[in-house]
Amino acid sequence: MKDDVRNYIKQQLGTNSQWALRALVKIYENQTADEQAVGQTTEDNGIGFSGVDSTILSSFAVQVNNGRNLSIKQMNILFKRMPRYHKQIVGLIPADKLSEIEKKCVVISRPIVGKMQ
């Protein structure tokens, strides 16, 4: 994966509430049933939340899944922590959507050519 795509996804996870909330729920769904039940990471299997984030992010995911909104303070915490999960999120994005993101990144990173005045 190109750096510009990786950076775009990290940026979205750290600033876009729709991206961050959807990623939160998807990663929570990838936790094992035992991890979901106790609200903590118990296995080092490369999926789900890290041990440091598991308690708070699991509680956020349960809150969202129960139809409740996160507070501004909670969203700030989410924005700070979600970019580190960009690799897992890339793996969850369908190929056609990932291709769209790659095209968007090419357009964004293309230098502007023109006269300077």
Side-chain angles (χ1 to χ4, degrees), residues 45-114:
N45 54 12
I47 58 172
F49 301 122
S50 69
V52 173
D53 293 333
S54 63
T55 302
I56 193 163
L57 293 183
S58 291
S59 72
F60 289 178
V62 168
Q63 185 175 329
V64 170
N65 283 338
N66 286 334
R68 297 192 329 260
N69 294 325
L70 298 183
S71 70
I72 292 172
K73 184 177 178 181
Q74 289 172 317
M75 283 303 300
N76 287 332
I77 292 168
L78 186 66
F79 285 149
K80 183 177 179 182
R81 295 184 182 208
M82 287 311 295
R84 72 181 67 154
Y85 297 99
H86 71 278
K87 290 180 185 175
Q88 287 186 58
I89 297 307
V90 168
L92 298 172
I93 298 173
D96 59 330
K97 296 290 184 188
L98 195 54
S99 179
E100 287 177 28
I101 292 170
E102 288 173 347
K103 289 176 188 173
K104 187 181 291 188
C105 288
V106 168
V107 170
I108 291 171
S109 65
R110 186 177 300 148
I112 298 172
V113 179

